[in-house]
Amino acid sequence: MIKKIVIANRGEIATRIIRTCKRLGIATVAVYSEADQKAPFVSMADECYLLGPPRVQESYLNAEKIISIARQAGADAIHPGYGFLSENSQFAGQCRDAGLLFIGPSSQVLEQMGNKIAARKAMKDAAVPIVPGTDEAVADAEEAKEIAELIGYPIMLKAASGGGGIGMQVVHTNKELEKAFDSNAKRAQSFFGDGAMFMEKKLENARHIEIQLLADHHGNVVHLYDRECSIQRRNQKVIEEAPSPFISETTRQEMGDSAVRAAKALNYTNAGTIEFIVDEQEHFYFLEMNTRIQVEHPVTEEVTGLDIVEQQIAIANGEKLAYEQSDIARSGHAIEARIYAEDPETFFPSPGYISAFELPDGENIRNETAVTDDFTVTPFYDPMIGKLIARGADRGEAIAALKQALLHYKVEGIKTNIPMLIEVVNHDQFLNGNTTTAFIDNYYLPMVKTN
Amino acid sequence: MTEVKASMAGSVWKIEVSKGETVEEDQDIVILESMKMEIPIPAESDGTVQELKVAEGDFVNEGDVIAIIE
């Protein structure tokens, strides 16, 4: 049984994992960079070890150092959180070679699903619908233009090994594609060590809806229903909710069945998520699989009552899932708003010193935070400084709670996207559930220009 | 002479010009990376790149001089 876990991550997800570990009586070890010495997650853990300088290559991506710390601390498992090494097949293999449990799927599955072209093939084999696009890496911009003519613009250009919106771009014309192909391939090569690119048809007025899964080492898989994460800026999620206000119960069930079928076909283990793009007619297509816990997991926890981190640990321990599909109840509605340190109009980063920080509270409010007051947000990592989750008996109640909480969320010293979030949750189209992936472009940005 | 300054803290991701090159107003001089986002820093006037004060990979703070255009 796992007694001590190294958390190979930082910020809010590190504090989130530590909280569950404390409740379960599991000791925690934080690893941190020089930039994060004063971060709350460091002092929350039972032990902490300095990794090195702020740059991720010298800190949170330094696999050897993290494994060496785990051995030194006498830990028996590593929880990778999201981002950084969480979907790195080599790291998962290194952990197991070092006698450490990697709280995630096998390195083989990580390798397969980490390459989005291989993932598309695997889904096709499991009879999960995929977006029309390329089945192989595209050689160069010239070939990309030929394929785009066949598929039809707009197309979505994507890095095979990408994530977090990096190496991804919507392209509308041949001219745009020529420029976009090389720059995205180069960026993907730099970030992921793999510049392979592929293309998918860009579906208009689509929604991003995903299914959360749990899969144990005994062949059992359950889904925890859906989340809609369509409100995005720069291809990154801003607001997520469970359940989706759009799909019917029939579609919901079909998507859940498809996701479970996919996980079983992959011999998947751990918590995981199948992301789908859903068109106006509720046709759904596989986008990618996230083989880790996700930022937006709290909305699923709020409507199912399950602790997904606890489930991950139980699965890693080799335990059988304690639930069959029919045991997974869902009630109420939950919405999460990501609080970013950025300009609310341009979405440009806003690192700096937080002079005052106060969180809203209330029985329908949950906060996950990475910062405190008297704290400097550095430019080295992503801009998310917190997550605000509101729940209610229905969507209307959850939105009302979120609106109130946003008004009481106080961050001074840096710019945040809170003014943007307030505009979004007050917008008629959001209130009506018209939350397509084009929401920010169609409704928010025109409002910014008018003001 | 005009100084091209960093509009925010970040790492120099890419230098788009070289010393001695003629540049136009609004032409990107360097691309900074901050919080996983690329931010282009443009020239504020036409001129010649007299000096580049940074190298790729360097870290700059807001207000640091990146280049001098004459």
Side-chain angles (χ1 to χ4, degrees), chain A residues 379-432:
Chain A
F380 300 107
Y381 314 112
D382 76 57
M384 197 175 73
I385 57 169
K387 304 186 308 203
L388 172 61
I389 304 106
R391 61 185 166 269
D394 54 31
R395 187 169 190 260
E397 271 192 32
I399 291 174
L402 184 65
K403 279 184 188 178
Q404 274 306 306
L406 282 168
L407 294 173
H408 291 92
Y409 207 113
K410 183 175 160 188
V411 186
E412 286 180 5
I414 57 169
K415 288 181 189 171
T416 74
N417 66 335
I418 292 172
M420 171 211 178
L421 294 167
I422 291 171
E423 294 282 2
V424 171
V425 298
N426 279 298
H427 199 286
D428 284 347
Q429 296 293 339
F430 180 80
L431 298 173
N432 292 335

Side-chain angles (χ1 to χ4, degrees), chain A residues 187 190 234 349 377 379 381, chain B residues 9 13 33-35 37-38 59:
Chain A
R187 191 147 164 74
S190 165
R234 295 199 282 117
V377 181
Y381 314 112
Chain B
W13 164 253
E33 189 197 343
S34 183
M35 293 179 146
M37 186 182 176
E38 287 177 21
F59 183 79

Side-chain angles (χ1 to χ4, degrees), chain B:
Chain B
M1 187 189 82
T2 55
E3 291 180 329
V4 179
K5 291 182 178 175
S7 53
M8 68 190 65
S11 302
V12 178
W13 164 253
K14 198 177 169 197
I15 298 176
E16 299 278 29
V17 296
S18 45
K19 192 177 170 183
E21 191 175 327
T22 306
V23 294
E24 294 175 2
E25 185 180 344
D26 288 335
Q27 184 177 337
D28 292 345
I29 302 299
V30 303
I31 311 289
L32 287 184
E33 189 197 343
S34 183
M35 293 179 146
K36 292 168 77 178
M37 186 182 176
E38 287 177 21
I39 301 115
I41 308 295
E44 286 179 19
S45 62
D46 296 351
T48 304
V49 179
Q50 200 65 28
E51 202 176 343
L52 281 164
K53 298 264 193 187
V54 293
E56 286 184 0
D58 282 358
F59 183 79
V60 293
N61 283 306
E62 186 179 345
D64 283 358
V65 177
I66 286 171
I68 294 170
I69 311 281
E70 213 165 74

Side-chain angles (χ1 to χ4, degrees), chain A residues 123-140:
Chain A
M123 290 301 131
K124 214 172 174 179
D125 292 345
V128 176
I130 57 172
V131 185
T134 52
D135 289 338
E136 303 289 342
V138 181
D140 52 31

Side-chain angles (χ1 to χ4, degrees), chain A residues 103-374:
Chain A
I103 301 180
S106 68
S107 54
Q108 289 82 357
V109 168
L110 282 171
E111 195 172 340
Q112 189 178 11
M113 300 316 278
N115 184 300
K116 294 188 171 61
I117 298 170
R120 275 171 64 87
K121 280 183 189 152
M123 290 301 131
K124 214 172 174 179
D125 292 345
V128 176
I130 57 172
V131 185
T134 52
D135 289 338
E136 303 289 342
V138 181
D140 52 31
E142 282 309 307
E143 192 191 5
K145 282 195 281 185
E146 285 168 24
I147 294 165
E149 295 290 346
L150 291 175
I151 302 174
Y153 284 105
I155 59 117
M156 187 65 106
L157 189 62
K158 288 184 173 180
S161 301
I166 293 162
M168 187 192 288
Q169 192 174 334
V170 184
V171 180
H172 299 87
T173 62
N174 268 347
K175 199 178 168 194
E176 241 183 284
L177 183 56
E178 213 165 278
K179 195 177 171 196
F181 191 91
D182 291 337
S183 62
N184 280 286
K186 197 173 174 192
R187 191 147 164 74
Q189 179 67 41
S190 165
F191 267 82
F192 311 112
D194 174 12
M197 304 295 292
F198 71 107
M199 293 155 68
E200 285 176 350
K201 172 85 183 152
K202 169 85 168 76
L203 301 178
E204 301 287 13
N205 292 317
R207 314 253 181 163
H208 180 121
I209 302 173
E210 58 192 31
I211 301 288
Q212 173 74 58
L213 296 162
L214 295 173
D216 67 18
H217 290 271
H218 308 277
N220 303 305
V221 183
V222 295
H223 69 76
L224 307 184
Y225 303 99
D226 56 300
R227 293 188 285 257
E228 176 158 348
C229 316
S230 302
I231 310 281
Q232 304 182 3
R233 60 97 181 89
R234 295 199 282 117
N235 290 320
Q236 283 188 318
K237 298 163 186 170
V238 181
I239 293 177
E240 304 100 348
E241 59 186 301
S244 161
F246 177 64
I247 54 172
S248 65
E249 283 304 322
T250 307
T251 303
R252 175 167 286 122
Q253 194 174 330
E254 285 174 10
M255 288 175 75
D257 291 346
S258 281
V260 168
R261 196 166 62 242
K264 285 188 172 170
L266 294 167
N267 289 322
Y268 188 80
T269 53
N270 182 37
T273 302
I274 307 274
E275 295 191 338
F276 293 101
I277 191 101
V278 183
D279 72 13
E280 290 171 296
Q281 287 77 43
E282 294 190 50
H283 298 126
F284 58 89
Y285 305 93
F286 170 79
L287 264 187
E288 63 180 56
M289 182 172 195
N290 289 145
T291 49
R292 52 171 165 80
I293 195 160
Q294 283 181 291
V295 175
E296 60 271 28
H297 75 276
V299 291
T300 296
E301 293 186 326
E302 292 304 321
V303 297
T304 61
L306 290 171
D307 178 330
I308 294 174
V309 174
E310 181 180 357
Q311 297 298 319
Q312 285 187 293
I313 294 169
I315 290 167
N317 261 328
E319 294 170 31
K320 278 188 180 171
L321 289 179
Y323 308 91
E324 292 184 11
Q325 192 62 55
S326 56
D327 298 324
I328 312 288
R330 189 197 67 199
S331 70
H333 198 98
I335 306 186
E336 173 180 285
R338 300 191 189 189
I339 312 295
Y340 287 126
E342 68 182 20
D343 185 298
E345 296 184 357
T346 62
F347 311 140
F348 271 26
S350 179
Y353 178 68
I354 297 180
S355 50
F357 184 70
E358 277 175 37
L359 294 170
D361 59 11
E363 61 175 325
N364 290 325
I365 294 303
R366 167 174 167 183
N367 284 289
E368 301 289 346
T369 57
V371 302
T372 57
D373 60 353
D374 186 22

